[in-house]
Amino acid sequence: MALAINIEDLLNKQKIESNRIEFKKGWNPASIYHSVCAFANDFDDLGGGYIVVGVDTDDNTGMAIRPVEGVPVEKIDGILQEMVGYNNKMSPYYMPRTSVEEVDGKQVLVIWCPAGINRPYSVPENVTAKNGSKEYFYIRSGSSSIIAKGEVLDELRELASRVPFDERGNPDIKLEDISTLLLREYLVKVGSKLANELYERPLSEILEQMDLYVGSSENRMLRNVAAMMFCENPSKFFKRTQVEVVFFPEGRLVNPNNLYEAPIITGSVTQIIERTLEYLNRMVVMQTIIKPKNDNHSIKFYTYPYQALEESITNSLYHRDYREWEPVVITVEPKGITIQNVGGPDRSIPTADISRGELLISKRYRNRRLGEYLKELEMTEGRSTGIPTIQNVLKSNGSPRAAVVTDEERTFFRITIPCHEGAGNIIADIATREKSQESSQEIGQNIPDVLKDVLKNVQKDVLKKLTERQIDILELIVLNPTITLNEMSKRIDVSVKTIQRDFTAVRELGIQINRKDGKTYGEWEVLSKE
């Protein structure tokens, strides 16, 4: 069965941490099952790991040597049969996923070992021994698999009662709640071959291959992360999964009654992140260029470095406690932007580190699988580098450092990104403009005449949610129904993927964009609900 990620990303150690990838030149089950057990135990809550058989490594760099060694085709079926028996020797039973991939014209065997839900796991020291062998608990230490002993073994045993929330089964999530459009978009982005199989095999099989089911055969449940990532309305299961943006033109303390609330941002977790960033980038990220009188060099800075907002917002949705019915709240004031989510940093992170706003290294993750998806999509860097990245880009921009706050109970996490001191009060003008547009806007006022008849049945609050680019796309389609995605991409100067994301957002608002009679000779039609 196909991998849920791209094999080249594994070979190049991209998107996945290097200590979660192990290369084996040949099939050595005794050594390999030490690593299977260690990845299943997932002592550091990293999300398991991958073993790639048929790949030798460079002794100096640890990187895969190309072309790969490969595994003889005639041996692969035998190896897979052996694994069935070795899986039964693990206690409790554990079954890793396998995939045979073609690389450099040869076959390699990828063994994916997601974190097990019944940890801790043990395995015989030598699974090939006929008369039995002493069993040990294995964990990862850097890039090696070692036997867990003493306090480490005690801590590993305690993990049996701790399953990250996003990996828990949820009986309320049904197969029909999963959007194949969102799922395919993800699989295409990460370069998974499963994208080609999505419409050829039952959806349940694809989700099973992605390890998104949990529980016994008679009571299979989808994991919470399936709804977080691939449901268009995860608030159905995790109340108030949304972002709320509030502007205080004079500052919250100076005049708390003078405020403007932006439209609530909803969708899947990745959609919320993308839509929030798009909104803030449009509203508050501005570049200023200053030319000193006695200097030929211009001074350039941004009100807010985009990457600082990107890291902060992504982390707020990643580390949010989805059991709490509280949204991520973004407060925009003249001096900075504050982003707050419920669920504070793990207690393994010292309070002094939080106060300094430096590297925050956590031993336990609330939503480790969600973080894995976000890293694969390159929406977050992982490896606890978020805060240092924010501080570095602020320093490069000439902005003050970000401030990080939590409480003693670790019930929330708050980060404030300061506005560049040379930007002035940009918020007063933004809020005034937005309020004016909101109060004066009539139905269809911002809609071109050519679209007014098509969208006449769309409610006023829905029309307000359309972005300028989405309106431009609809106008292009109505004016030229035969226009292709590539032509739209050139006209609007955005990628095809961006247009496809806008299609999804528009459809969620009840405005249907359909293509009749195929891609080559077909035509677009725009329909709104009666």
Side-chain angles (χ1 to χ4, degrees), residues 400-416:
R401 288 172 57 83
V404 177
V405 178
T406 187
D407 59 353
E408 290 185 6
E409 291 75 26
R410 305 286 174 96
T411 61
F412 72 89
F413 184 85
R414 181 191 305 146
I415 182 167
T416 299

Side-chain angles (χ1 to χ4, degrees), residues 306-318:
Y306 179 82
Q307 193 175 1
L309 296 177
E310 183 178 38
E311 284 288 336
S312 301
I313 291 164
T314 301
N315 285 333
S316 69
L317 272 298
Y318 168 15

Side-chain angles (χ1 to χ4, degrees), residues 196-476:
N196 299 324
E197 301 178 18
L198 187 57
Y199 298 112
E200 299 173 0
R201 293 167 48 195
L203 177 59
S204 58
E205 286 188 13
I206 301 293
L207 297 175
E208 191 75 61
Q209 177 68 6
M210 295 176 68
D211 192 38
L212 288 172
Y213 273 106
V214 67
S216 59
S217 57
E218 67 276 9
N219 185 33
R220 300 296 277 164
M221 293 181 288
L222 283 166
R223 299 182 191 267
N224 283 322
V225 72
M228 294 175 184
M229 285 292 300
F230 308 120
C231 177
E232 294 179 348
N233 181 27
S235 286
K236 178 179 178 182
F237 312 104
F238 323 112
K239 301 296 184 185
R240 303 192 75 186
T241 298
Q242 60 195 46
V243 167
E244 298 178 3
V245 184
V246 185
F247 292 86
F248 289 91
E250 300 172 68
R252 183 168 43 182
L253 296 178
V254 174
N255 189 351
N257 296 318
N258 182 13
L259 59 89
Y260 164 71
E261 296 182 59
I264 293 173
I265 301 171
T266 60
S268 68
V269 169
T270 51
Q271 286 177 321
I272 291 175
I273 292 171
E274 290 172 346
R275 291 167 183 173
T276 303
L277 287 171
E278 181 183 14
Y279 179 77
L280 290 179
N281 188 42
R282 175 167 54 87
M283 298 295 292
V284 301
V285 178
M286 303 173 190
Q287 186 183 51
T288 297
I289 301 176
I290 299 175
K291 295 184 177 181
K293 292 182 179 180
N294 301 319
D295 194 338
N296 293 328
H297 299 284
S298 299
I299 300 173
K300 299 180 181 179
F301 63 83
Y302 288 90
T303 48
Y304 299 95
Y306 179 82
Q307 193 175 1
L309 296 177
E310 183 178 38
E311 284 288 336
S312 301
I313 291 164
T314 301
N315 285 333
S316 69
L317 272 298
Y318 168 15
H319 297 296
R320 177 189 189 272
D321 188 344
Y322 286 87
R323 296 170 298 180
E324 299 291 336
W325 293 10
E326 292 294 334
V328 171
V329 178
I330 300 176
T331 304
V332 186
E333 300 182 70
K335 293 185 178 181
I337 294 176
T338 299
I339 302 162
Q340 177 171 309
N341 60 274
V342 292
D346 188 76
R347 290 190 177 277
S348 60
I349 302 175
T351 302
D353 288 354
I354 297 171
S355 300
R356 284 195 297 268
E358 297 287 354
L359 186 67
L360 305 184
I361 301 177
S362 176
K363 293 183 178 180
R364 299 288 171 257
Y365 290 91
R366 187 176 289 114
N367 302 304
R368 67 181 174 194
R369 187 70 177 279
L370 177 62
E372 185 178 336
Y373 281 130
L374 295 177
K375 280 180 277 187
E376 289 169 3
L377 290 170
E378 299 182 331
M379 299 181 81
T380 184
E381 295 182 13
R383 304 178 183 87
S384 303
T385 58
I387 300 298
T389 296
I390 292 168
Q391 303 292 24
N392 288 337
V393 297
L394 285 170
K395 181 179 180 180
S396 298
N397 190 56
S399 302
R401 288 172 57 83
V404 177
V405 178
T406 187
D407 59 353
E408 290 185 6
E409 291 75 26
R410 305 286 174 96
T411 61
F412 72 89
F413 184 85
R414 181 191 305 146
I415 182 167
T416 299
I417 310 295
C419 185
H420 193 285
E421 294 172 342
N425 187 356
I426 64 168
I427 307 304
D429 179 60
I430 291 171
T432 301
R433 184 178 71 248
E434 290 291 298
K435 280 185 176 181
S436 174
Q437 288 182 0
E438 184 179 67
S439 61
S440 64
Q441 187 179 41
E442 298 296 331
I443 296 178
Q445 183 176 335
N446 65 329
I447 303 297
D449 290 340
V450 71
L451 291 179
K452 286 185 177 178
D453 187 57
V454 176
L455 303 178
K456 62 183 178 182
N457 295 320
V458 181
Q459 295 181 359
K460 176 181 177 180
D461 61 332
V462 173
L463 288 177
K464 289 181 184 178
K465 295 180 181 179
L466 289 171
T467 66
E468 291 182 11
R469 188 175 64 231
Q470 290 164 359
I471 292 172
D472 290 341
I473 291 171
L474 291 172
E475 186 175 10
L476 284 175

Side-chain angles (χ1 to χ4, degrees), residues 29-95:
S31 171
I32 285 173
Y33 266 81
H34 295 171
S35 295
V36 170
C37 179
F39 284 133
N41 280 326
D42 195 26
F43 184 69
D44 291 320
D45 271 347
L46 295 175
Y50 300 83
I51 304 166
V52 189
V53 183
V55 178
D56 199 3
T57 56
D58 184 288
D59 292 336
N60 295 320
T61 65
M63 297 298 292
I65 296 175
R66 307 293 290 269
V68 299
E69 290 281 334
V71 178
V73 176
E74 63 273 14
K75 292 187 177 182
I76 289 177
D77 284 344
I79 292 174
L80 295 176
Q81 286 296 323
E82 286 181 40
M83 289 185 66
V84 174
Y86 299 148
N87 294 341
N88 281 296
K89 290 188 177 184
M90 289 191 63
S91 180
Y93 173 77
Y94 175 83
M95 185 181 73

